[in-house]
Every structure is written in C-alpha cells, then in structure tokens.
Amino acid sequence: MNNGAQGFIQETEEMNSSEFQPLSEFLLVKPKELNQEVKTDFGLIVEQKRSVVDRSCSGEVLAIGKKASEETDIKVGNYAIWVATKGIDIKFKDGKFLLLDYQSLIGYRKD
C-alpha cells in the first residue's frame, strides 16, 4: 500500500466521498487538518512543506469495508488514530481523504 509520503494522491474527482464504499478491510477517513503555515516572530508567514513527519494521523471514520466492520468495533463517525505512514491519499469532489487498512489503526475514541 502507498504510504502517502511520496506525494501521490489518487484523484477520483468524479464522485463525492459519500458515494464511495471501501472494500474488505479498508476504511475511508477524513484526516484532521494540519496547520501548513508558520508565523515568524517578525510576522512573516512561511508555508511548510508536507512530509511524513507532519502528516495527519487522526480523523473521522466515514465508511467501513465489510471485513473491517466484522473484525473491529469501529463505527462510522468514530474519531480514530492510525500510524502516520500508512494509507492512500484520495481526492474526491468534496475534499481530500485517506483510505486505510483497518490494521493500521492504533485506536479510536470510545462512544
């Protein structure tokens, strides 16, 4: 699976994320946005390059594949945490998302 660190984004802009159903062991998540700008002491705003070090590793679960739903307690709407180097970046009409293998999850917020 692509780790996303190489800047690869699978573009599927012909549909919204709500129209996508992951297969088998995969989850579709909306990663939490990271601040990509830093303001210096002098007031300059410097845009930061995205790297695996600052890649989001938490967000909301939007859709769950059949195997993932059978083998875990995670549900749509849960806030999950995963290994930052895992997942495939996907761009839909309504934004950027991440497709993860459920085994990449570290945990999730209990209801």
Side-chain angles (χ1 to χ4, degrees), residues 27 29-32 56-61 74-75 77-83 100 104-109:
L27 307 168
V29 297
K30 177 65 175 168
K32 181 179 171 184
S56 181
C57 61
S58 63
E60 181 182 358
V61 177
I74 198 156
K75 297 177 179 73
N78 282 140
Y79 184 81
I81 299 171
W82 56 86
V83 177
L100 287 170
S104 299
L105 294 180
I106 297 170
Y108 61 95
R109 184 172 36 213

Side-chain angles (χ1 to χ4, degrees), residues 59-72:
E60 181 182 358
V61 177
L62 301 179
I64 304 172
K66 186 175 181 179
K67 184 176 179 180
S69 67
E70 292 171 353
E71 296 192 14
T72 67

Side-chain angles (χ1 to χ4, degrees), residues 3 5 18 35 40-41 53 68 70 76 80 98 102 104-105 110-111:
N3 67 14
S18 61
N35 188 359
T40 68
D41 293 339
V53 175
E70 292 171 353
V76 169
L98 194 64
Y102 76 93
S104 299
L105 294 180
K110 296 192 284 186
D111 294 331

Side-chain angles (χ1 to χ4, degrees), residues 17-72:
S17 61
S18 61
E19 300 173 294
F20 181 80
Q21 175 60 48
L23 296 177
S24 194
E25 70 269 6
F26 294 101
L27 307 168
L28 182 66
V29 297
K30 177 65 175 168
K32 181 179 171 184
E33 294 279 331
L34 293 176
N35 188 359
Q36 295 293 318
E37 296 180 339
V38 174
K39 189 172 183 179
T40 68
D41 293 339
F42 301 107
L44 295 173
I45 297 175
V46 180
E47 185 174 338
Q48 299 293 303
K49 297 279 185 187
R50 181 177 165 191
S51 71
V52 72
V53 175
D54 64 358
R55 188 170 186 226
S56 181
C57 61
S58 63
E60 181 182 358
V61 177
L62 301 179
I64 304 172
K66 186 175 181 179
K67 184 176 179 180
S69 67
E70 292 171 353
E71 296 192 14
T72 67

